[in-house]
Amino acid sequence: MRFIVLFSAVLIFISCQFPVHQKFDLQGHRGCRGIMPENTIPAMLKAIGLNVSTLEMDVVVSADKQVVVSHEPFFSHEITTLPSGDTIEAKNEWAYNIFRMSFDSLQKYDVGLKPNPRFPYQQKIKVSKPLLSDLVDTVESFLRNTNHRPVNYNIEIKSLDSSDHLYHPAPEEYVDLVMRIIIDKKIADRVIIQSFDIRSLQIMHQKYPTIKLSYLIGDRDKPLLHSFTSLLGFQPAILSPDYSLVTKQLTDSLHGQNVQIIPWTVNDIEAAKKLYLAGVDGIITDFPDRINLESISSH
């Protein structure tokens, strides 16, 4: 009897010291940007091989209303090689506006060969920006052919009120274009839609209430950490802040509201361990090869 009491006390002590993670969500940022060209199909397949549970990506819209996987609504000088073989100067990159280009013309621009000084170990391959529909088809085929468990998709809508009709459609059309693909591909139950733009999240909540939503918070938006529900007008499933904003107190507060917390973008293993101990529900990382549940849960 004394042993049982002592054993129970030890279990209580352990449970107070370490968080209980029912299902930790390891998300590959832009696939796995640290090791493969970002937001490309090869990056997504590599991330699956590294056992991420969710593929994180961004989508923009072309002139012919195709949903394209890309972080910027233009061709970034950091990753782009022009059809001529030249590169883009930073001051000119906004001129390469994807919203004014057909998808066929986008395919002439390479986004995998130019060395990225921020990610020196990134594998260089010739690759173009894919359609969201093609990416999903390829991923789902790969999962079936390899008998891999299903993965989730965390898709960011990149709308801003200052760039409506200039670099992307107005939010409702943007949302509908993305959702048309999600519904057509029958992946709605495995999708998170995230955005910094409250308008897009509000439209998603009103028109597609069963889709899981995540509100993104940057380091300049710290005051919004405790007022996001009143700002949005509803409670999202997930709050996704810059990882530097995360505290144990914030995590506990969100869990008390039945809101998950999944910070971005965590590339330092010690920071990832601290976040895990704080009880976060997942992390978004460029390096799922070295920042994963096994590495950050070891004490």
Side-chain angles (χ1 to χ4, degrees), residues 159-182:
S159 54
L160 291 169
D161 55 5
S162 60
S163 53
D164 285 351
H165 307 294
L166 298 175
Y167 284 89
H168 56 77
E172 185 163 5
E173 182 182 9
Y174 203 153
V175 163
D176 286 342
L177 287 169
V178 174
M179 283 304 303
R180 188 179 304 162
I181 295 166
I182 290 169

PDB file of all heavy atoms in Angstrom, residues 159-182:
ATOM      1  N   SER A 159      -3.454  37.547 -47.776  1.00  0.00           N
ATOM      2  CA  SER A 159      -4.138  38.798 -48.106  1.00  0.00           C
ATOM      3  C   SER A 159      -3.760  39.935 -47.156  1.00  0.00           C
ATOM      4  O   SER A 159      -3.459  39.716 -45.983  1.00  0.00           O
ATOM      5  CB  SER A 159      -5.652  38.588 -48.081  1.00  0.00           C
ATOM      6  OG  SER A 159      -6.065  38.028 -46.841  1.00  0.00           O
ATOM      7  N   LEU A 160      -3.782  41.142 -47.715  1.00  0.00           N
ATOM      8  CA  LEU A 160      -3.590  42.380 -46.963  1.00  0.00           C
ATOM      9  C   LEU A 160      -4.552  43.412 -47.529  1.00  0.00           C
ATOM     10  O   LEU A 160      -4.737  43.489 -48.751  1.00  0.00           O
ATOM     11  CB  LEU A 160      -2.155  42.903 -47.104  1.00  0.00           C
ATOM     12  CG  LEU A 160      -1.024  42.112 -46.451  1.00  0.00           C
ATOM     13  CD1 LEU A 160       0.316  42.656 -46.931  1.00  0.00           C
ATOM     14  CD2 LEU A 160      -1.122  42.195 -44.941  1.00  0.00           C
ATOM     15  N   ASP A 161      -5.151  44.229 -46.655  1.00  0.00           N
ATOM     16  CA  ASP A 161      -6.101  45.201 -47.196  1.00  0.00           C
ATOM     17  C   ASP A 161      -5.430  46.221 -48.103  1.00  0.00           C
ATOM     18  O   ASP A 161      -6.054  46.781 -48.994  1.00  0.00           O
ATOM     19  CB  ASP A 161      -6.884  45.898 -46.071  1.00  0.00           C
ATOM     20  CG  ASP A 161      -5.988  46.559 -45.037  1.00  0.00           C
ATOM     21  OD1 ASP A 161      -4.755  46.566 -45.223  1.00  0.00           O
ATOM     22  OD2 ASP A 161      -6.535  47.069 -44.038  1.00  0.00           O
ATOM     23  N   SER A 162      -4.125  46.434 -47.901  1.00  0.00           N
ATOM     24  CA  SER A 162      -3.400  47.407 -48.721  1.00  0.00           C
ATOM     25  C   SER A 162      -3.083  46.895 -50.129  1.00  0.00           C
ATOM     26  O   SER A 162      -2.725  47.677 -51.008  1.00  0.00           O
ATOM     27  CB  SER A 162      -2.097  47.805 -48.033  1.00  0.00           C
ATOM     28  OG  SER A 162      -1.270  46.668 -47.844  1.00  0.00           O
ATOM     29  N   SER A 163      -3.217  45.591 -50.344  1.00  0.00           N
ATOM     30  CA  SER A 163      -2.858  45.045 -51.659  1.00  0.00           C
ATOM     31  C   SER A 163      -4.001  44.327 -52.354  1.00  0.00           C
ATOM     32  O   SER A 163      -3.790  43.639 -53.356  1.00  0.00           O
ATOM     33  CB  SER A 163      -1.648  44.113 -51.527  1.00  0.00           C
ATOM     34  OG  SER A 163      -1.854  43.118 -50.551  1.00  0.00           O
ATOM     35  N   ASP A 164      -5.234  44.481 -51.844  1.00  0.00           N
ATOM     36  CA  ASP A 164      -6.400  43.936 -52.542  1.00  0.00           C
ATOM     37  C   ASP A 164      -6.452  44.453 -53.982  1.00  0.00           C
ATOM     38  O   ASP A 164      -6.264  45.653 -54.229  1.00  0.00           O
ATOM     39  CB  ASP A 164      -7.691  44.371 -51.842  1.00  0.00           C
ATOM     40  CG  ASP A 164      -7.953  43.632 -50.545  1.00  0.00           C
ATOM     41  OD1 ASP A 164      -7.240  42.656 -50.256  1.00  0.00           O
ATOM     42  OD2 ASP A 164      -8.877  44.046 -49.812  1.00  0.00           O
ATOM     43  N   HIS A 165      -6.677  43.531 -54.932  1.00  0.00           N
ATOM     44  CA  HIS A 165      -6.816  43.842 -56.360  1.00  0.00           C
ATOM     45  C   HIS A 165      -5.502  44.281 -57.013  1.00  0.00           C
ATOM     46  O   HIS A 165      -5.466  44.497 -58.225  1.00  0.00           O
ATOM     47  CB  HIS A 165      -7.880  44.915 -56.604  1.00  0.00           C
ATOM     48  CG  HIS A 165      -9.209  44.597 -55.988  1.00  0.00           C
ATOM     49  ND1 HIS A 165      -9.972  43.536 -56.412  1.00  0.00           N
ATOM     50  CD2 HIS A 165      -9.888  45.194 -54.974  1.00  0.00           C
ATOM     51  CE1 HIS A 165     -11.093  43.480 -55.682  1.00  0.00           C
ATOM     52  NE2 HIS A 165     -11.064  44.477 -54.809  1.00  0.00           N
ATOM     53  N   LEU A 166      -4.454  44.410 -56.225  1.00  0.00           N
ATOM     54  CA  LEU A 166      -3.142  44.771 -56.768  1.00  0.00           C
ATOM     55  C   LEU A 166      -2.229  43.554 -56.848  1.00  0.00           C
ATOM     56  O   LEU A 166      -1.585  43.312 -57.871  1.00  0.00           O
ATOM     57  CB  LEU A 166      -2.487  45.855 -55.909  1.00  0.00           C
ATOM     58  CG  LEU A 166      -3.216  47.191 -55.826  1.00  0.00           C
ATOM     59  CD1 LEU A 166      -2.514  48.118 -54.829  1.00  0.00           C
ATOM     60  CD2 LEU A 166      -3.268  47.850 -57.200  1.00  0.00           C
ATOM     61  N   TYR A 167      -2.181  42.803 -55.739  1.00  0.00           N
ATOM     62  CA  TYR A 167      -1.331  41.610 -55.686  1.00  0.00           C
ATOM     63  C   TYR A 167      -2.119  40.332 -55.373  1.00  0.00           C
ATOM     64  O   TYR A 167      -1.543  39.257 -55.337  1.00  0.00           O
ATOM     65  CB  TYR A 167      -0.204  41.796 -54.663  1.00  0.00           C
ATOM     66  CG  TYR A 167       0.893  42.703 -55.166  1.00  0.00           C
ATOM     67  CD1 TYR A 167       0.830  44.077 -54.966  1.00  0.00           C
ATOM     68  CD2 TYR A 167       1.979  42.201 -55.883  1.00  0.00           C
ATOM     69  CE1 TYR A 167       1.824  44.925 -55.454  1.00  0.00           C
ATOM     70  CE2 TYR A 167       2.976  43.028 -56.368  1.00  0.00           C
ATOM     71  CZ  TYR A 167       2.892  44.394 -56.149  1.00  0.00           C
ATOM     72  OH  TYR A 167       3.871  45.227 -56.638  1.00  0.00           O
ATOM     73  N   HIS A 168      -3.399  40.483 -55.163  1.00  0.00           N
ATOM     74  CA  HIS A 168      -4.257  39.327 -54.913  1.00  0.00           C
ATOM     75  C   HIS A 168      -5.717  39.770 -55.002  1.00  0.00           C
ATOM     76  O   HIS A 168      -6.016  40.973 -54.957  1.00  0.00           O
ATOM     77  CB  HIS A 168      -3.983  38.718 -53.525  1.00  0.00           C
ATOM     78  CG  HIS A 168      -4.118  39.702 -52.402  1.00  0.00           C
ATOM     79  ND1 HIS A 168      -5.327  40.117 -51.904  1.00  0.00           N
ATOM     80  CD2 HIS A 168      -3.176  40.382 -51.686  1.00  0.00           C
ATOM     81  CE1 HIS A 168      -5.144  40.980 -50.926  1.00  0.00           C
ATOM     82  NE2 HIS A 168      -3.854  41.167 -50.778  1.00  0.00           N
ATOM     83  N   PRO A 169      -6.642  38.813 -55.125  1.00  0.00           N
ATOM     84  CA  PRO A 169      -8.061  39.183 -55.152  1.00  0.00           C
ATOM     85  C   PRO A 169      -8.513  39.703 -53.784  1.00  0.00           C
ATOM     86  O   PRO A 169      -7.805  39.551 -52.781  1.00  0.00           O
ATOM     87  CB  PRO A 169      -8.763  37.860 -55.481  1.00  0.00           C
ATOM     88  CG  PRO A 169      -7.701  36.899 -55.871  1.00  0.00           C
ATOM     89  CD  PRO A 169      -6.435  37.367 -55.259  1.00  0.00           C
ATOM     90  N   ALA A 170      -9.700  40.277 -53.737  1.00  0.00           N
ATOM     91  CA  ALA A 170     -10.302  40.626 -52.456  1.00  0.00           C
ATOM     92  C   ALA A 170     -10.507  39.349 -51.647  1.00  0.00           C
ATOM     93  O   ALA A 170     -10.599  38.244 -52.209  1.00  0.00           O
ATOM     94  CB  ALA A 170     -11.621  41.348 -52.683  1.00  0.00           C
ATOM     95  N   PRO A 171     -10.573  39.439 -50.321  1.00  0.00           N
ATOM     96  CA  PRO A 171     -10.560  38.250 -49.466  1.00  0.00           C
ATOM     97  C   PRO A 171     -11.589  37.176 -49.804  1.00  0.00           C
ATOM     98  O   PRO A 171     -11.268  35.988 -49.787  1.00  0.00           O
ATOM     99  CB  PRO A 171     -10.792  38.825 -48.067  1.00  0.00           C
ATOM    100  CG  PRO A 171     -10.226  40.187 -48.130  1.00  0.00           C
ATOM    101  CD  PRO A 171     -10.520  40.677 -49.516  1.00  0.00           C
ATOM    102  N   GLU A 172     -12.829  37.553 -50.108  1.00  0.00           N
ATOM    103  CA  GLU A 172     -13.840  36.526 -50.341  1.00  0.00           C
ATOM    104  C   GLU A 172     -13.518  35.690 -51.571  1.00  0.00           C
ATOM    105  O   GLU A 172     -13.628  34.450 -51.555  1.00  0.00           O
ATOM    106  CB  GLU A 172     -15.229  37.149 -50.472  1.00  0.00           C
ATOM    107  CG  GLU A 172     -16.315  36.091 -50.587  1.00  0.00           C
ATOM    108  CD  GLU A 172     -17.703  36.629 -50.309  1.00  0.00           C
ATOM    109  OE1 GLU A 172     -17.848  37.856 -50.116  1.00  0.00           O
ATOM    110  OE2 GLU A 172     -18.647  35.810 -50.286  1.00  0.00           O
ATOM    111  N   GLU A 173     -13.094  36.328 -52.643  1.00  0.00           N
ATOM    112  CA  GLU A 173     -12.722  35.569 -53.837  1.00  0.00           C
ATOM    113  C   GLU A 173     -11.486  34.713 -53.561  1.00  0.00           C
ATOM    114  O   GLU A 173     -11.414  33.545 -53.989  1.00  0.00           O
ATOM    115  CB  GLU A 173     -12.449  36.513 -55.012  1.00  0.00           C
ATOM    116  CG  GLU A 173     -12.111  35.766 -56.298  1.00  0.00           C
ATOM    117  CD  GLU A 173     -11.790  36.674 -57.467  1.00  0.00           C
ATOM    118  OE1 GLU A 173     -11.664  37.898 -57.257  1.00  0.00           O
ATOM    119  OE2 GLU A 173     -11.660  36.148 -58.592  1.00  0.00           O
ATOM    120  N   TYR A 174     -10.532  35.274 -52.870  1.00  0.00           N
ATOM    121  CA  TYR A 174      -9.300  34.559 -52.501  1.00  0.00           C
ATOM    122  C   TYR A 174      -9.653  33.281 -51.739  1.00  0.00           C
ATOM    123  O   TYR A 174      -9.208  32.173 -52.076  1.00  0.00           O
ATOM    124  CB  TYR A 174      -8.468  35.501 -51.625  1.00  0.00           C
ATOM    125  CG  TYR A 174      -6.983  35.267 -51.540  1.00  0.00           C
ATOM    126  CD1 TYR A 174      -6.142  36.348 -51.256  1.00  0.00           C
ATOM    127  CD2 TYR A 174      -6.408  34.010 -51.681  1.00  0.00           C
ATOM    128  CE1 TYR A 174      -4.773  36.190 -51.144  1.00  0.00           C
ATOM    129  CE2 TYR A 174      -5.039  33.843 -51.559  1.00  0.00           C
ATOM    130  CZ  TYR A 174      -4.225  34.934 -51.284  1.00  0.00           C
ATOM    131  OH  TYR A 174      -2.875  34.776 -51.153  1.00  0.00           O
ATOM    132  N   VAL A 175     -10.473  33.436 -50.718  1.00  0.00           N
ATOM    133  CA  VAL A 175     -10.901  32.303 -49.892  1.00  0.00           C
ATOM    134  C   VAL A 175     -11.638  31.265 -50.738  1.00  0.00           C
ATOM    135  O   VAL A 175     -11.374  30.059 -50.636  1.00  0.00           O
ATOM    136  CB  VAL A 175     -11.794  32.805 -48.737  1.00  0.00           C
ATOM    137  CG1 VAL A 175     -12.583  31.657 -48.115  1.00  0.00           C
ATOM    138  CG2 VAL A 175     -10.948  33.495 -47.674  1.00  0.00           C
ATOM    139  N   ASP A 176     -12.548  31.708 -51.585  1.00  0.00           N
ATOM    140  CA  ASP A 176     -13.333  30.773 -52.395  1.00  0.00           C
ATOM    141  C   ASP A 176     -12.455  29.993 -53.380  1.00  0.00           C
ATOM    142  O   ASP A 176     -12.675  28.793 -53.606  1.00  0.00           O
ATOM    143  CB  ASP A 176     -14.418  31.521 -53.164  1.00  0.00           C
ATOM    144  CG  ASP A 176     -15.573  31.956 -52.274  1.00  0.00           C
ATOM    145  OD1 ASP A 176     -15.716  31.412 -51.156  1.00  0.00           O
ATOM    146  OD2 ASP A 176     -16.340  32.850 -52.695  1.00  0.00           O
ATOM    147  N   LEU A 177     -11.465  30.659 -53.966  1.00  0.00           N
ATOM    148  CA  LEU A 177     -10.563  29.971 -54.894  1.00  0.00           C
ATOM    149  C   LEU A 177      -9.785  28.863 -54.187  1.00  0.00           C
ATOM    150  O   LEU A 177      -9.613  27.761 -54.725  1.00  0.00           O
ATOM    151  CB  LEU A 177      -9.588  30.978 -55.515  1.00  0.00           C
ATOM    152  CG  LEU A 177     -10.171  31.933 -56.555  1.00  0.00           C
ATOM    153  CD1 LEU A 177      -9.165  33.046 -56.882  1.00  0.00           C
ATOM    154  CD2 LEU A 177     -10.555  31.183 -57.828  1.00  0.00           C
ATOM    155  N   VAL A 178      -9.312  29.162 -52.982  1.00  0.00           N
ATOM    156  CA  VAL A 178      -8.571  28.156 -52.211  1.00  0.00           C
ATOM    157  C   VAL A 178      -9.490  27.011 -51.787  1.00  0.00           C
ATOM    158  O   VAL A 178      -9.159  25.829 -51.923  1.00  0.00           O
ATOM    159  CB  VAL A 178      -7.907  28.808 -50.987  1.00  0.00           C
ATOM    160  CG1 VAL A 178      -7.244  27.748 -50.097  1.00  0.00           C
ATOM    161  CG2 VAL A 178      -6.868  29.842 -51.423  1.00  0.00           C
ATOM    162  N   MET A 179     -10.667  27.365 -51.285  1.00  0.00           N
ATOM    163  CA  MET A 179     -11.582  26.343 -50.796  1.00  0.00           C
ATOM    164  C   MET A 179     -12.113  25.453 -51.916  1.00  0.00           C
ATOM    165  O   MET A 179     -12.410  24.274 -51.696  1.00  0.00           O
ATOM    166  CB  MET A 179     -12.738  26.996 -50.043  1.00  0.00           C
ATOM    167  CG  MET A 179     -12.373  27.456 -48.645  1.00  0.00           C
ATOM    168  SD  MET A 179     -11.688  26.117 -47.612  1.00  0.00           S
ATOM    169  CE  MET A 179     -13.002  24.909 -47.677  1.00  0.00           C
ATOM    170  N   ARG A 180     -12.225  25.982 -53.108  1.00  0.00           N
ATOM    171  CA  ARG A 180     -12.678  25.174 -54.244  1.00  0.00           C
ATOM    172  C   ARG A 180     -11.741  23.973 -54.441  1.00  0.00           C
ATOM    173  O   ARG A 180     -12.183  22.859 -54.709  1.00  0.00           O
ATOM    174  CB  ARG A 180     -12.717  26.033 -55.504  1.00  0.00           C
ATOM    175  CG  ARG A 180     -13.345  25.357 -56.711  1.00  0.00           C
ATOM    176  CD  ARG A 180     -13.359  26.306 -57.896  1.00  0.00           C
ATOM    177  NE  ARG A 180     -14.037  27.557 -57.574  1.00  0.00           N
ATOM    178  CZ  ARG A 180     -13.909  28.674 -58.282  1.00  0.00           C
ATOM    179  NH1 ARG A 180     -13.134  28.700 -59.356  1.00  0.00           N
ATOM    180  NH2 ARG A 180     -14.582  29.757 -57.936  1.00  0.00           N
ATOM    181  N   ILE A 181     -10.453  24.212 -54.287  1.00  0.00           N
ATOM    182  CA  ILE A 181      -9.471  23.131 -54.450  1.00  0.00           C
ATOM    183  C   ILE A 181      -9.537  22.171 -53.269  1.00  0.00           C
ATOM    184  O   ILE A 181      -9.517  20.944 -53.444  1.00  0.00           O
ATOM    185  CB  ILE A 181      -8.055  23.729 -54.594  1.00  0.00           C
ATOM    186  CG1 ILE A 181      -7.973  24.530 -55.889  1.00  0.00           C
ATOM    187  CG2 ILE A 181      -6.995  22.628 -54.555  1.00  0.00           C
ATOM    188  CD1 ILE A 181      -6.776  25.423 -55.985  1.00  0.00           C
ATOM    189  N   ILE A 182      -9.623  22.708 -52.073  1.00  0.00           N
ATOM    190  CA  ILE A 182      -9.682  21.869 -50.877  1.00  0.00           C
ATOM    191  C   ILE A 182     -10.887  20.936 -50.920  1.00  0.00           C
ATOM    192  O   ILE A 182     -10.785  19.741 -50.612  1.00  0.00           O
ATOM    193  CB  ILE A 182      -9.713  22.760 -49.619  1.00  0.00           C
ATOM    194  CG1 ILE A 182      -8.349  23.435 -49.435  1.00  0.00           C
ATOM    195  CG2 ILE A 182     -10.108  21.965 -48.378  1.00  0.00           C
ATOM    196  CD1 ILE A 182      -8.334  24.534 -48.401  1.00  0.00           C
TER     197      ILE A 182
END
